């Protein structure tokens, strides 16, 4: 992270990485799918076409429970009829008057879509069963401040199969832990702008206890969805959406403003599809069909640049003009892969690279993957931020190098052959897993094997790539990333802009 450690260290108050927005889904095992619900009804001697009669008392129980909780806390349940009303803004206004002490904050209700089932009789097979369906039902939003998790909400549908949704913010959870440890801090919205001990705060952030979280979620389910007591199992919790933030907190707004504009202007042009894949730890294949791209928005809070690939994205924005936040977000954690135990159909268990499971117990390994994505993005923007260092690096790689009485000329960004070489070794998939000569040769098909070997030799002698001992793999060095990014920026963006600005 050259942006931090080298040039701006004296201007930075602290750095903190933490989960931000986390949305979890609770499903009741055995009835969360149509086949399971069908089996449950048969096992309990309930006719399939009596499904509605079975579900109605459970619906009424949830409604009565909501009314009881509201009365106990001297609250009125507010029904939200318009989709234009932002619930977060409404709750924030209530918190400003109420304060942020633990307890129930508010209860909202709304008619929203929910999954359900409909009875079906197949005349061909003679079987009667439930089919998946979609409908609308009343949902309750219970907003409260929990002593462990901070501000949360539990979204409870009033119709079977009662899929819950629970939200909390990792920064709110961390604030509660800091309070217990007596570490002073300043929390603005969902970001820490000041901290008595950044190091201890990071240690706490790295130790989210998922088992403890699991127990807390079960408590919420029993309190707000009493229908669970009619089933002999507890909820299964999975990850619906998660965000992981790396915050670089500057001592003064002017220090961040000095660099932020240049970074975003360059990133919106410099980040290509294979770069996005690299940030997110993926390889971009020719058969990839999902959406990818860059977005730039100006908001009330500041400007934001976003790079997205399918269900995942990486964002950078200035929060309150004081915090540079890099944030990786996904709505499907199986997008990411990691090395874990895999159970095969024949019962064997082996260790292999596989998609991340959606269970909440993936929050630990997922944290490492999301943090790595943020770090790769920071490394990328660091390489293009310091023009003076970029010039020194370009000068270094442009000089001739002598090795074993042979001369190896320097590199020239205005030479078309050298530019192709640079663009090849900056290819996203090479940055993740390195490359071999045969991979490199595919992108330089017009070159002979001997010519490719000499190019690799030149790259090594100039310090742009390194070879891993005992392997045939090459990796881009730190100098290589800095110099090549700066050079391509000069060739592709700055010179065309200057040329366009020159009078005819």
């Amino acid at each position: 992270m050259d942006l931090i450690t080298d040039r701006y260290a004296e201007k930075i108050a602290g750095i903190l990485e933490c989960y931000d927005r986390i949305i979890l889904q609770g499903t009741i095992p055995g009835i969360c799918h149509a086949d399971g619900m069908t089996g449950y009804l048969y096992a309990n001697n309930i006719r399939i076409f009596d499904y509605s009669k079975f579900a109605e008392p459970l619906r009424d129980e949830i409604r009565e429970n909501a009314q009881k909780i509201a009365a106990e806390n001297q609250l009125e349940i507010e029904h939200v009829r318009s989709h234009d009303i932002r619930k977060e803004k409404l709750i924030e206004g209530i918190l400003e008057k109420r304060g942020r002490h633990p307890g129930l904050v508010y209860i909202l209700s709304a008619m929203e879509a929910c999954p359900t089932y409909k009875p079906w009789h197949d005349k061909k097979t003679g079987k009667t069963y439930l089919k998946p369906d979609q409908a609308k039902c009343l949902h309750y939003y219970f907003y409260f401040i929990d002593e462990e998790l901070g501000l949360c909400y539990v979204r409870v549908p009033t119709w079977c199969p009662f899929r819950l949704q629970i939200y909390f913010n990792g920064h709110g959870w961390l604030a509660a832990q800091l309070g217990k440890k007596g570490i002073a801090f300043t929390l603005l919205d969902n970001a820490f702008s000041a901290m008595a001990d950044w190091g201890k705060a990071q240690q706490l952030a790295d130790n989210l206890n998922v088992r403890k979280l699991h127990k807390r979620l079960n408590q919420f389910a029993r309190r707000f969805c009493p229908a669970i007591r009619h089933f002999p199992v507890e909820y299964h919790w999975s990850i619906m959406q998660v965000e992981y933030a790396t915050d670089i907190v500057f001592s003064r707004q002017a220090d961040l403003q000095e660099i932020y504009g240049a970074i975003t202007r360059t990133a919106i042009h410099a980040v290509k599809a294979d770069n996005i894949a690299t940030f997110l730890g993926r390889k971009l294949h020719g058969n990839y069909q999902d959406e990818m791209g860059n977005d730039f928005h100006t908001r009330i809070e500041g400007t934001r640049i976003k790079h997205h690939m399918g269900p995942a994205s990486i964002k950078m924005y200035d929060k309150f003009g004081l915090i540079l936040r890099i944030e990786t977000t996904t709505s499907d954690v199986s997008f990411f892969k990691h090395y874990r135990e895999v159970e095969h159909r024949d019962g064997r268990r082996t260790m292999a690279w596989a998609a991340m499971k959606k269970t909440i117990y993936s929050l630990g390994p997922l944290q490492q993957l999301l943090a790595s994505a943020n770090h790769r993005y920071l490394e990328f923007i660091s390489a293009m931020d310091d023009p003076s260092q970029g010039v020194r690096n370009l000068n270094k790689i442009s000089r001739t190098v002598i090795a074993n009485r042979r001369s190896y000329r320097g590199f020239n960004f205005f030479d078309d052959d050298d530019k192709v070489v640079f663009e090849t070794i900056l290819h996203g998939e090479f940055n993740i897993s390195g490359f071999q000569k045969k991979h490199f040769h595919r992108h330089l098909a017009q070159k002979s094997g001997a010519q490719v070997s000499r190019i690799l030799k030149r790259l090594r002698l100039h310090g742009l790539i390194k070879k891993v001992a005992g392997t045939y793999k090459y990796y881009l060095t730190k100098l290589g990333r800095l110099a090549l990014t700066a050079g391509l920026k000069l060739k592709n963006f700055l010179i065309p802009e200057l040329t366009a600005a020159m009078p005819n």
Side-chain angles (χ1 to χ4, degrees), residues 23 50 75 77 93 111 126 150 162 186 205 213 237 275 281 297 300 307 316-317 322 338 352 390 399 488 493-494:
I23 299 180
D50 286 339
L75 294 174
I77 299 176
M111 290 295 295
F162 309 114
T186 301
L213 171 63
W237 299 101
N275 298 126
H297 291 290
I300 296 175
H307 317 281
M316 175 176 66
Y317 53 98
L322 188 65
H338 68 133
R399 301 188 187 105
L488 291 176
F493 306 119
L494 298 186

Side-chain angles (χ1 to χ4, degrees), residues 77-83 87 107-113 136-141 155-158:
I77 299 176
E78 180 176 345
H79 186 68
V80 178
R81 299 183 183 278
S82 173
H83 294 291
K87 300 180 182 70
I107 305 176
L108 299 174
S109 67
M111 290 295 295
E112 295 176 346
K136 278 192 172 185
C137 75
L138 188 70
H139 287 71
Y140 289 106
Y141 286 79
R155 177 180 182 261
V156 182
T158 55

Side-chain angles (χ1 to χ4, degrees), residues 17-20 206 243-246 326-328 367 370-371 374:
E17 296 185 324
C18 182
Y19 272 117
D20 191 44
D206 292 339
E243 299 175 352
Y244 192 82
T246 298
I326 311 296
E327 188 172 78
T328 299
Q367 180 179 11
L370 299 181
N374 291 352

Side-chain angles (χ1 to χ4, degrees), residues 411 421 425 455-465:
F411 290 94
V421 170
I425 62 175
I455 291 172
L456 290 173
K457 182 79 170 181
R458 284 175 65 206
L459 290 168
R460 289 179 65 188
L461 290 174
H462 283 84
L464 298 175
I465 63 172

Side-chain angles (χ1 to χ4, degrees), residues 104 136 175 207 287 324 369 387 434 438 447 477 480 482 493:
L104 193 68
K136 278 192 172 185
N207 288 283
N287 60 354
L324 178 65
L369 293 177
K438 62 181 179 181
K447 301 287 186 183
T477 63
L482 293 172
F493 306 119

Side-chain angles (χ1 to χ4, degrees), residues 312-356:
S313 66
I314 189 161
K315 299 180 285 187
M316 175 176 66
Y317 53 98
D318 53 334
K319 202 163 181 67
F320 311 113
L322 188 65
I323 301 167
L324 178 65
R325 171 167 288 185
I326 311 296
E327 188 172 78
T328 299
T329 302
T330 182
S331 58
D332 182 358
V333 298
S334 64
F335 173 88
F336 296 94
K337 292 185 177 182
H338 68 133
Y339 197 65
R340 64 174 176 85
E341 186 179 65
V342 176
E343 184 176 357
H344 301 274
R345 291 182 178 179
D346 59 5
R348 291 183 302 111
R349 292 178 179 268
T350 60
M351 297 298 293
W353 286 97
M356 181 77 65

Side-chain angles (χ1 to χ4, degrees), residues 9 11 16 51 126 146 177 188 195 210 216 253 291 309 319 321 401 431:
K11 298 180 179 181
L16 183 68
Y51 169 69
D146 182 69
Q177 312 314 306
L188 297 177
M195 184 74 64
V210 180
R216 207 72 171 176
Q253 288 185 334
E291 292 186 1
M309 180 180 184
K319 202 163 181 67
V401 173
N431 285 333

